[in-house]
Amino acid sequence: LRDFWQGMGANIGHVLPAAAICGIPAYLLLLAVDYSRYLLAVGQGNAAGLIVGIVFAVIGMVLLALLFLWELSVGANYKVGFFKALRTALFAVFRLFPFNLFYAALVALPLALLFFGSFLQTIGFVLMFLFGIIYMLLVWMNYSQWAFDNLVGEPEAAPAERAAAPQADKAQADKA
């Protein structure tokens, strides 16, 4: 139990600001869609505006969810400040966008099954009951570890080492 609270204390500095940075815009997007529905209901809006608003809200929510997941991954794996983690998360969201969509869909699969008919809904309930959030975090963290391995390159050599490298290669070629 002590380890749990130590982990909470160590990661709260990344989780709360990330939740605020992603949660407040998400709330504002939903509020804008509700306002568009209100305008349509009172006869001052049009259906095209509502559809455009919903499309932008969905795109924004997906981007915010990916940003939040990456912020959690960076914050949990690296000892960096919040803004450095946020910058890294933004980079990862756009650099790996197709992979992000695939793994986000894989993470959300048990939740998506809850919205379908009887048999798939039952499978979704069982998956959420047995594995729940653990499955989601495990899939995302494994994916983010793979992504970190691919994004983080070899450290660049110092200028003196780069200048010496061709001479060393030439010396080895002369020996052969």
Side-chain angles (χ1 to χ4, degrees):
L1 190 60
R2 188 171 54 107
D3 291 340
F4 172 77
W5 291 111
Q6 283 179 338
M8 290 290 290
N11 293 315
I12 200 78
H14 284 281
V15 174
L16 286 180
I21 285 177
C22 295
I24 292 170
Y27 174 74
L28 292 175
L29 285 170
L30 292 176
L31 194 62
V33 169
D34 286 342
Y35 185 68
S36 294
R37 286 185 181 148
Y38 168 75
L39 288 177
L40 190 62
V42 296
Q44 294 179 352
N46 59 18
L50 178 62
I51 291 170
V52 168
I54 289 173
V55 168
F56 280 119
V58 167
I59 291 170
M61 295 291 266
V62 167
L63 289 174
L64 287 170
L66 290 174
L67 178 65
F68 184 70
L69 287 170
W70 274 109
E71 171 61 34
L72 291 180
S73 297
V74 173
N77 289 305
Y78 297 104
K79 299 289 184 201
V80 294
F82 174 73
F83 291 106
K84 172 76 172 169
L86 184 63
R87 190 177 71 186
T88 305
L90 278 169
F91 174 75
V93 165
F94 293 107
R95 176 77 166 84
L96 301 167
F97 193 71
F99 293 108
N100 289 338
L101 289 180
F102 173 74
Y103 280 98
L106 194 61
V107 164
L109 184 63
L111 290 175
L113 291 177
L114 294 176
F115 293 108
F116 291 110
S118 61
F119 180 69
L120 292 176
Q121 191 174 26
T122 305
I123 291 173
F125 277 123
V126 169
L127 286 175
M128 288 303 293
F129 179 73
L130 292 177
F131 305 111
I133 203 84
I134 295 169
Y135 161 78
M136 295 176 184
L137 289 174
L138 180 66
V139 169
W140 186 262
M141 290 297 177
N142 282 336
Y143 162 62
S144 65
Q145 289 299 317
W146 170 82
F148 291 146
D149 289 343
N150 288 330
L151 287 177
V152 177
E154 292 294 321
E156 191 172 321
E161 293 172 354
R162 274 185 266 148
Q167 295 170 357
D169 291 340
K170 184 178 178 184
Q172 285 180 347
D174 291 341
K175 288 181 183 177

